[in-house]
Amino acid sequence: MRRMIPATLLVLLLTACGGGREDKAVQACEQAVKERMADRAYTLDAADMKAKAKPEGEDMVHIQTTIVFDPGLPREVKQTMDCKARFVGGKDLPDVVSLTFTW
């Protein structure tokens, strides 16, 4: 029983801290889209992005989600957005190393 307490505590601590990298990757990808699509109306779902965030190695997070251009208009278009963010020591947000839209 005593051996289970530290293991359970470790699992709880890791669960509580688990969203940090994904949240930061989502934030970096959202910022990159904002800069790249400054002249376009679009919507992104941050919760969906976080749910679909997948680690690739120790320093990379890959996010693939849907972006909606011209939401609510007759010309509304849904596309796939693919973003890869790499964590670098000394920086709060990761660097976006790849941002593509599948038209």
Side-chain angles (χ1 to χ4, degrees):
M1 181 72 172
R2 289 184 184 205
R3 290 183 190 183
M4 272 183 100
I5 292 172
T8 304
L9 182 59
L10 179 62
V11 169
L12 289 173
L13 288 173
L14 289 174
T15 302
C17 299
R21 289 176 56 97
E22 289 83 3
D23 287 332
K24 290 181 185 264
V26 166
Q27 187 178 355
C29 289
E30 284 179 318
Q31 186 175 341
V33 171
K34 182 178 180 179
E35 291 170 6
R36 190 165 176 190
M37 297 294 163
D39 61 339
R40 298 282 311 261
Y42 66 88
T43 58
L44 281 171
D45 183 348
D48 183 63
M49 291 173 70
K50 183 177 176 181
K52 293 180 178 176
K54 295 185 175 143
E56 289 187 350
E58 293 181 18
D59 64 347
M60 186 88 69
V61 175
H62 178 220
I63 300 171
Q64 190 173 52
T65 191
T66 300
I67 184 169
V68 181
F69 290 101
D70 299 320
L73 298 176
R75 63 180 179 261
E76 177 179 293
V77 177
K78 293 180 181 180
Q79 301 296 327
T80 301
M81 184 204 70
D82 194 89
C83 182
K84 290 186 180 185
R86 177 179 297 139
F87 288 87
V88 179
K91 286 187 161 184
D92 185 43
L93 289 179
D95 293 331
V96 173
V97 295
S98 173
L99 178 64
T100 56
F101 302 95
T102 305
W103 300 93

